[in-house]
Amino acid sequence: MKVNEYPKTWKRTFISLWLGCFITGLGFSMTMPFMPLFMETLGNFSTWQLNLYSGLAFSMTYLSQAIVSPYWGSLADRKGRKLMCMRASGVMAFTIFLTGLVQGVWVIIFLRFLQGAFSGYINNATAFIAGETPRAKTGSAMANMMTASVSGNLLGPIFGGAIAGAFGYRVPFFITGFMMLVAFFLTWVNTKEHFKPVAKREMKPMKEIFSQISNTKLIISMFITTLIINASLMSISPIISLLVKRLMHGQGNISLVSGIVAAAPGFGTLLVANKLGHKMDEIGPEKVLITGLVVEVLLFIPMSLVTSPWLLAVLRFFIGIADAALLPAVQTILSVDVPPAAFGRIFSYNQSFQASGGVIGPLLGSFVSSLFGYQAVFLFTALMLGFNFILVIWSQHRQVFSKEIAFITVEMP
């Protein structure tokens, strides 16, 4: 059955999955920013030890996610994306709630590793709705799905900070666990997937799937693009507050200003995500992706020269506008160019690359800033995105060339 045969049910499914992604983003950002402070209450640690434990708690989730995502993708193609969303939200409810009860840092690190191994609500929800949405609405649906997690990530630190300040660091974990349980039941009861199970023996191997795709170079370049985009975002995150402190010369409300600078991209993304989604439906996701990469390169370069945190916030606001054009465009390209029977596996591979970016980005950012200073990270990020631009252009030219050859071949007598 074709996607556009379900015009009445996909909107309700979309709203439910949007809320699930919002809860996931909200819960993550309610707890992670305060993880080092929570760990500090569990023992007497040196600064070096606390940084190490916090880094492990952060990176272990991405590491396990990168390792197991292909397995979950294969299972999604056999059992459906709805079950994968329920699996992710159910396990997250369990592990996050338990984190609020622990008495040792290594238990937290283990639970974070377990959470990453069973995570993937947002990516599976994206693949879920990509398979249910009429093709003419795919671009706007992908862009609007991005606003769910972005909105949650913006509001989470505010709610988490208020709750932790009033009731302690453990309470946000309990609340987040309960919210993920709500997401589980919302997905279970209020979404409908038109999915025909495929027996394991009947599943086509990925080699055959790729042979059916007109331009495999494009799909592979989208995987690499996802890695670079996430690495570029994560490379900046660990140094933002330290850079703001330097720009403010250690004076004033550094925490507040750092929060504004960190949140600025999210506001930019929310402002234009819907409009860019409609633009993708009009002109195609490839053009939107290329434009977004060019804009990001042009914005990251002057960031290396800023002397004011407020100018940095303005530039990051515009980065958020460009961000709204990147991952949704990648997801739209994947959903349009990949056979529906392989959605789960292709999106899971994409999730592995995204998680790898989450591991690589902070390490690269820390390494570059240690050698050349905080603002050199912006130049390094611009260089990565510039390479990404060249890669996408190359894959697009290969696609156009392949289509022209195919057309000529068909027209020949």
Side-chain angles (χ1 to χ4, degrees):
M1 299 180 77
K2 296 181 181 179
V3 173
N4 57 13
E5 292 179 15
Y6 311 114
K8 295 182 180 180
T9 59
W10 77 268
K11 291 184 178 179
R12 185 182 68 184
T13 297
F14 170 81
I15 292 172
S16 301
L17 293 175
W18 190 97
L19 289 171
C21 290
F22 171 78
I23 290 172
T24 302
L26 181 71
F28 177 83
S29 60
M30 274 182 63
T31 54
M32 278 311 296
F34 310 105
M35 187 68 76
L37 299 176
F38 176 44
M39 286 182 160
E40 193 175 21
T41 66
L42 301 179
N44 296 316
F45 307 115
S46 66
T47 301
W48 181 86
Q49 286 176 314
L50 190 59
N51 289 340
L52 174 63
Y53 293 144
S54 300
L56 286 173
F58 188 86
S59 62
M60 280 297 171
T61 301
Y62 288 105
L63 180 62
S64 60
Q65 189 180 78
I67 293 171
V68 304
S69 285
Y71 166 76
W72 292 124
S74 177
L75 192 62
D77 284 338
R78 288 189 284 121
K79 303 295 185 180
R81 268 68 70 176
K82 178 173 180 173
L83 182 62
M84 296 300 100
C85 289
M86 292 169 59
R87 177 262 304 163
S89 55
V91 173
M92 284 181 68
F94 175 73
T95 56
I96 293 176
F97 187 89
L98 283 184
T99 302
L101 298 173
V102 301
Q103 301 296 324
V105 294
W106 287 107
V107 180
I108 293 179
I109 293 170
F110 170 75
L111 288 173
R112 292 287 299 167
F113 182 87
L114 187 65
Q115 181 180 324
F118 286 87
S119 67
Y121 185 95
I122 293 175
N123 285 77
N124 279 287
T126 302
F128 187 167
I129 201 62
E132 298 293 317
T133 307
R135 288 295 175 93
K137 301 287 187 180
T138 301
S140 56
M142 294 298 101
N144 282 320
M145 284 296 286
M146 183 180 181
T147 66
S149 57
V150 171
S151 300
N153 286 330
L154 282 176
L155 296 176
I158 299 173
F159 291 157
I163 294 169
F167 304 105
Y169 295 122
R170 294 181 183 272
V171 175
F173 292 98
F174 300 146
I175 294 176
T176 298
F178 173 77
M179 289 194 304
M180 290 310 304
L181 194 61
V182 171
F184 171 85
F185 283 106
L186 188 66
T187 305
W188 181 19
V189 174
N190 209 41
T191 65
K192 186 173 180 62
E193 183 177 22
H194 298 89
F195 177 78
K196 183 179 179 181
V198 180
K200 187 174 183 179
R201 64 181 180 275
E202 297 176 358
M203 288 185 65
K204 297 179 180 179
M206 286 306 298
K207 183 178 180 179
E208 184 177 343
I209 292 293
F210 271 99
S211 69
Q212 296 175 358
I213 298 173
S214 59
N215 185 9
T216 56
K217 298 288 193 306
L218 178 64
I219 302 303
I220 293 172
S221 73
M222 289 303 100
F223 291 160
I224 298 173
T225 295
T226 297
L227 185 151
I228 292 176
I229 290 171
N230 207 38
S232 68
L233 294 174
M234 300 305 296
S235 68
I236 306 301
S237 298
I239 68 162
I240 285 294
S241 59
L242 299 173
L243 176 58
V244 169
K245 183 178 180 179
R246 174 172 293 183
L247 294 175
M248 296 179 66
H249 307 291
Q251 304 295 320
N253 195 335
I254 296 171
S255 298
L256 175 61
V257 177
S258 296
I260 294 172
V261 173
F267 290 109
T269 298
L270 287 177
L271 183 65
V272 302
N274 187 52
K275 293 180 180 179
L276 283 178
H278 289 297
K279 182 59 67 176
M280 272 190 277
D281 292 332
E282 293 175 9
I283 67 175
E286 293 86 356
K287 292 180 180 178
V288 174
L289 174 61
I290 290 170
T291 302
L293 288 170
V294 171
V295 171
E296 290 226 336
V297 170
L298 295 177
L299 288 171
F300 271 113
I301 292 173
M303 280 188 191
S304 64
L305 304 173
V306 296
T307 57
S308 165
W310 300 113
L311 178 57
L312 180 61
V314 171
L315 289 172
R316 283 179 56 79
F317 172 81
F318 287 107
I319 282 287
I321 293 177
D323 284 343
L326 298 181
L327 286 179
V330 170
Q331 292 163 345
T332 302
I333 291 170
L334 292 177
S335 66
V336 170
D337 289 5
V338 170
F343 270 0
R345 281 172 287 174
I346 292 295
F347 273 80
S348 70
Y349 285 132
N350 197 54
Q351 183 181 9
S352 287
F353 277 88
Q354 186 174 358
S356 298
V359 176
I360 294 170
L363 296 176
L364 288 176
S366 299
F367 178 75
V368 172
S369 61
S370 297
L371 290 179
F372 307 108
Y374 297 133
Q375 287 169 289
V377 178
F378 296 114
L379 290 176
F380 183 79
T381 302
L383 186 64
M384 284 196 302
L385 292 167
F387 167 78
N388 200 168
F389 169 78
I390 295 172
L391 177 66
V392 172
I393 291 293
W394 174 76
S395 66
Q396 285 296 295
H397 283 177
R398 287 295 295 267
Q399 183 183 37
V400 172
F401 181 73
S402 298
K403 288 181 177 179
E404 288 176 349
I405 292 296
F407 176 77
I408 294 172
T409 305
V410 171
E411 289 296 309
M412 288 179 64

